[in-house]
Amino acid sequence: MAGSSATARPGTAPDTVKILIAGGFGVGKTTLVGSVSEIAPLRTEEPLTAAGLGIDDLDGIEGKTATTVALDFGRISISRELVLYLFGTPGQQRFWFMWNDLAIGALGAVVLVDVRRPETSFAAIDFFERRGIPFVVGVNGFHGEHPYPPEEIREALALPEHARVLLCDARDRESCRDVLIALIDQLIATAGGPDGPGRIAPGGP
């Protein structure tokens, strides 16, 4: 990414940008925030209990034992001039009411997709499209596998040609960092800012 090795301007603090990590239940949002964050991530996970039977769809993710009930929070420095604050959204439908508050001040988003259950991420895609919030799609390869190329995934999700679809592994820091950099590049291109990430209008946590 252009400007990723930039030197911080003397006497100035880094710009901060709020990014949402969204997607369906069990797609790897908490894992992504935890693997890429340079600080100990804040997590609001609670054990899955019998009360969720018939409500939480565990088809394909039978081994999942906990769920995010509010948000995940982490931080990553993309360069000496740009710091991203990452907010992971809860995935279950009963917690979607929180997305509106979490989206306040967000400049962009990563929508994580599990190709075994792509329908679980439709709501997140629709949420950002309706609000005009730029996003990229990160396809989380469970067990390190990516059975479908990005073009097929874009078609399955009914995404426009310009939508970025990137293969990733939520457990791998470099892989997740590449997805975030792709989003920042998209934000810069959309803003038409030729001077690098320092020209992105700063957001806040």
Side-chain angles (χ1 to χ4, degrees):
M1 180 182 70
S4 61
S5 60
T7 301
R9 299 183 295 277
T12 61
D15 285 340
T16 60
V17 175
K18 180 179 180 180
I19 299 297
L20 296 189
I21 310 298
F25 177 47
V27 297
K29 301 180 294 296
T30 298
T31 300
L32 185 153
V33 173
S35 66
V36 80
S37 178
E38 63 197 17
I39 63 172
L42 168 67
R43 293 172 174 164
T44 58
E45 286 193 309
E46 294 292 339
L48 291 170
T49 67
L53 293 177
I55 301 174
D56 298 324
D57 182 6
L58 295 176
D59 186 27
I61 51 171
E62 290 82 3
K64 188 172 177 60
T65 59
T67 183
T68 299
V69 297
L71 59 90
D72 299 309
F73 173 76
R75 185 188 72 196
I76 178 174
S77 299
I78 295 296
S79 74
R80 294 176 64 182
E81 290 192 331
L82 181 64
V83 175
L84 306 186
Y85 289 112
L86 308 177
F87 288 76
T89 66
Q92 300 98 312
Q93 186 172 355
R94 65 183 183 276
F95 296 129
W96 286 356
F97 69 91
M98 300 180 62
W99 290 19
N100 286 320
D101 289 338
L102 289 173
I104 295 172
L107 293 190
V110 173
V111 176
L112 270 189
V113 172
D114 178 355
V115 294
R116 302 170 303 177
R117 303 175 299 122
E119 70 282 355
T120 63
S121 291
F122 288 158
I125 292 171
D126 182 66
F127 179 88
F128 296 118
E129 286 183 336
R130 287 178 178 273
R131 287 157 180 79
I133 298 176
F135 67 91
V136 299
V137 170
V139 183
N140 187 16
F142 284 82
H143 310 296
E145 299 176 357
H146 285 288
Y148 306 104
E151 294 75 17
E152 289 188 22
I153 296 169
R154 178 184 292 106
E155 182 177 354
L157 296 175
L159 294 170
E161 285 296 323
H162 63 79
R164 297 288 304 275
V165 178
L166 304 108
L167 305 181
C168 67
D169 185 335
R171 304 166 299 177
D172 182 76
R173 186 177 195 275
E174 293 302 316
S175 174
C176 299
R177 186 176 186 272
D178 288 345
V179 173
L180 293 169
I181 288 175
L183 174 61
I184 294 301
D185 284 341
Q186 179 171 311
L187 294 177
I188 292 170
T190 301
D195 298 324
R199 303 278 70 79
I200 294 178

